[in-house]
Amino acid sequence: MKKLFAILISATVLAAPFAAQAQDWRHGPDRHRAPVVEKKVVIKKTRWVKGHRMTHAERRRMAEIRDYRRYRLSAPPRGYRWVRVDNDFLMVGIATGVISSIIAGR
């Protein structure tokens, strides 16, 4: 029994360098990889100003509000409409794209 135990211990000692080498080989390519670059996403929040003329791109991304009473808004005059951007409501001229009124979301 002592001989068997001695053989197992000596085999473990002799096999240890091979096990360490195998572990380094497995994790070796990870050490030589290029560092991971994380991109920071910046969201630009536009502050709307009365009298600002909106571009066509800005108008395209806005949702028109047809049921303005649901949001407790007054009826828009002829030639204007309510649009919702994020949590703000804007009254915009249909033909010109000029903001005539701004209401912060509730």
Side-chain angles (χ1 to χ4, degrees), residues 39-57:
K39 292 185 178 183
K40 190 174 188 180
V41 177
V42 178
I43 299 173
K44 184 179 178 185
K45 174 110 173 155
T46 308
R47 288 189 160 245
W48 302 109
V49 181
K50 189 174 178 180
H52 172 73
R53 182 180 301 269
M54 296 172 24
T55 64
H56 290 291

Side-chain angles (χ1 to χ4, degrees), residues 30-38:
D30 291 343
R31 284 186 274 160
H32 300 293
R33 281 189 185 168
V36 176
V37 178
E38 293 183 20

